[in-house]
């Protein structure tokens, strides 16, 4: 009887992928490119799946041949020995380690032991099918989001270094606003921007020497701060400085009326287009304000 030969994948692929993965930083929040994903999983997945599919076919062929010729036990033994060695040579355990497939590692060891003991074709086929299911279950539990605007998600200072330097307390909210916008969390994006604007309003009010907190040292509402800013602005001498401050005041008032009041309403939501408009408008606004402080 002709013994079925397996087309095994060289173990060099496992070694190459291990060297690649060692260069990556695996942590929540880090973006993985499609190249990273394919390098991390595709080769291992194809290697394990292809080799085990070959094993499955081998046992199907052997079982069919044995049914026709009961004296084919020697060929079954040869296939078992070839498969047992193959599981070590192609580095299936190493591939499972690289992909961190815990239950798959255990199943590969179990299958390897059964092959060494030359278990029945039926049991081997069942264990191979179980291994496929474990791979599927583990990989299906790993969820990934596609982020079209990766540059916006990863930007350390979405509004530029001038804004970051002028309003350092807004940096975290501005960065989070960019991440939310990139992920399509539009209302969350606007909430973060309004939190950043609270800091800016307070900073500008303090710059003009107006009251920005109440008697309990709690920050005043935007409208009150804006009202408090009106008097010192009117008292300024006409010129470029007063013009810049007046423009800033007008923009602040516009932000308050157009966005902040609605945002603070529990039912307010924003579409992607609206959130992007707010994001861009606040960026333009804060860049201008950065020059006044």
């Amino acid at each position: 009887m002709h013994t079925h030969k397996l087309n095994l994948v060289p173990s060099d692929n496992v070694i190459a992928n291990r060297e690649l993965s060692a260069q990556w930083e695996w942590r929540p929040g880090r973006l993985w490119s499609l190249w990273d994903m394919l390098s991390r999983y595709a080769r291992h997945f194809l290697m394990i799946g292809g080799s085990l599919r070959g094993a499955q076919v081998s046992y199907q062929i052997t079982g069919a041949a044995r049914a026709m010729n009961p004296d084919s036990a020697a060929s079954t033994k040869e296939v078992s020995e070839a498969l047992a060695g193959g599981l070590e040579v192609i580095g299936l355990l190493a591939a499972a380690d690289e992909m961190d497939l815990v239950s798959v590692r255990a199943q590969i060891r179990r299958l390897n032991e059964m092959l060494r003991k030359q278990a029945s074709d039926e049991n081997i086929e069942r264990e191979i099918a179980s291994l496929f299911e474990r791979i599927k279950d583990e990989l299906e539990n790993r969820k990934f989001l596609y982020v079209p605007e990766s540059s916006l998600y990863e930007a350390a200072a979405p509004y530029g270094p001038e804004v970051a330097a002028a309003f350092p307390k807004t940096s975290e909210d501005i960065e989070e606003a960019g991440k939310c916008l990139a992920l399509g969390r539009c209302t969350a994006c606007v909430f973060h921007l309004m939190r950043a604007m609270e800091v800016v309003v307070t900073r500008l009010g303090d710059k003009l020497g107006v009251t920005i907190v109440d008697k309990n040292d709690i920050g005043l509402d935007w409208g009150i701060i804006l009202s408090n800013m009106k008097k010192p602005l009117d008292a300024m001498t006409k010129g470029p400085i007063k013009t810049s401050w007046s423009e800033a005041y007008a923009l602040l008032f516009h932000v308050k009326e157009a966005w902040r009041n609605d945002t603070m309403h529990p039912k307010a939501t924003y579409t992607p287009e609206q959130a992007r408009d707010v994001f861009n408008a606040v960026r333009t606004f804060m860049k201008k304000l950065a020059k006044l402080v």
Side-chain angles (χ1 to χ4, degrees):
M1 175 183 170
H2 177 69
T3 301
H4 181 74
K5 300 294 184 181
L6 291 180
N7 182 20
L8 300 178
V9 181
S11 60
D12 289 347
N13 285 343
V14 176
I15 297 173
N17 276 336
R18 188 182 297 115
E19 292 174 349
L20 279 173
S21 63
Q23 303 173 7
W24 300 334
E25 180 186 2
W26 305 107
R27 59 177 174 79
R30 177 196 180 276
L31 292 187
W32 295 359
S33 69
L34 180 57
W35 173 259
D36 289 339
M37 293 291 295
L38 292 176
S39 298
R40 178 69 171 175
Y41 291 112
R43 292 183 184 181
H44 294 319
F45 179 78
L46 290 175
M47 179 181 64
I48 293 175
S51 298
L52 293 177
R53 183 63 69 186
Q56 212 167 25
V57 171
S58 294
Y59 273 97
Q60 290 171 353
I61 292 176
T62 303
R66 190 166 59 181
M68 297 175 61
N69 180 8
D71 297 327
S72 64
S75 295
T76 300
K77 177 181 178 181
E78 290 176 9
V79 173
S80 293
E81 290 176 348
L83 287 170
L87 283 170
E88 294 174 352
V89 173
I90 65 177
L92 289 180
L93 281 173
D97 284 336
E98 285 297 309
M99 299 171 73
D100 196 26
L101 304 178
V102 179
S103 68
V104 172
R105 288 198 297 263
Q107 181 67 7
I108 289 174
R109 292 190 180 96
R110 184 179 298 109
L111 177 59
N112 194 33
E113 184 63 22
M114 293 183 69
L115 287 168
R116 288 185 182 282
K117 293 180 178 180
Q118 299 170 22
S120 67
D121 295 346
E122 181 180 350
N123 288 337
I124 293 296
E125 283 195 73
R126 184 176 63 249
E127 291 302 316
I128 291 175
S130 177
L131 181 53
F132 275 116
E133 289 301 313
R134 292 194 180 207
I135 293 172
K136 178 182 177 182
D137 290 342
E138 289 220 27
L139 294 183
E140 282 187 343
N141 283 331
R142 302 184 184 186
K143 308 298 183 182
F144 300 92
L145 288 174
Y146 170 58
V147 183
E149 295 184 86
S150 59
S151 59
L152 183 58
Y153 183 91
E154 295 181 304
Y159 287 174
E162 299 86 359
V163 171
F167 307 108
K169 292 183 179 180
T170 68
S171 295
E172 181 178 354
D173 275 308
I174 293 174
E175 289 180 22
E176 289 300 316
K179 285 180 169 57
C180 289
L181 186 59
L183 293 172
R185 315 311 294 172
C186 305
T187 302
C189 168
V190 178
F191 265 95
H192 278 294
L193 292 174
M194 294 305 101
R195 279 166 51 92
M197 288 299 298
E198 290 276 4
V199 175
V200 173
V201 171
T202 301
R203 177 73 181 279
L204 292 180
D206 186 58
K207 181 77 172 179
L208 289 174
V210 303
T211 302
I212 58 176
V213 295
D214 62 17
K215 61 181 181 180
N216 297 315
D217 203 32
I218 298 176
L220 295 173
D221 183 76
W222 276 36
I224 298 175
I225 295 177
L226 282 170
S227 296
N228 293 340
M229 291 171 59
K230 191 72 168 59
K231 186 175 181 179
L233 286 176
D234 290 340
M236 284 184 178
T237 304
K238 289 185 179 181
I241 295 179
K242 181 174 182 176
T243 299
S244 295
W245 274 102
S246 296
E247 290 175 353
Y249 178 86
L251 288 170
L252 274 172
F253 186 82
H254 176 65
V255 170
K256 173 185 176 297
E257 293 299 308
W259 300 319
R260 186 176 184 274
N261 289 344
D262 288 339
T263 305
M264 294 306 169
H265 194 281
K267 294 184 179 180
T269 57
Y270 285 79
T271 66
E273 293 76 15
Q274 291 170 332
R276 186 171 298 278
D277 287 343
V278 175
F279 187 84
N280 291 336
V282 171
R283 174 172 51 197
T284 301
F285 176 52
M286 292 186 71
K287 280 180 173 293
K288 185 176 184 64
L289 294 181
K291 299 176 182 179
L292 296 177
V293 298

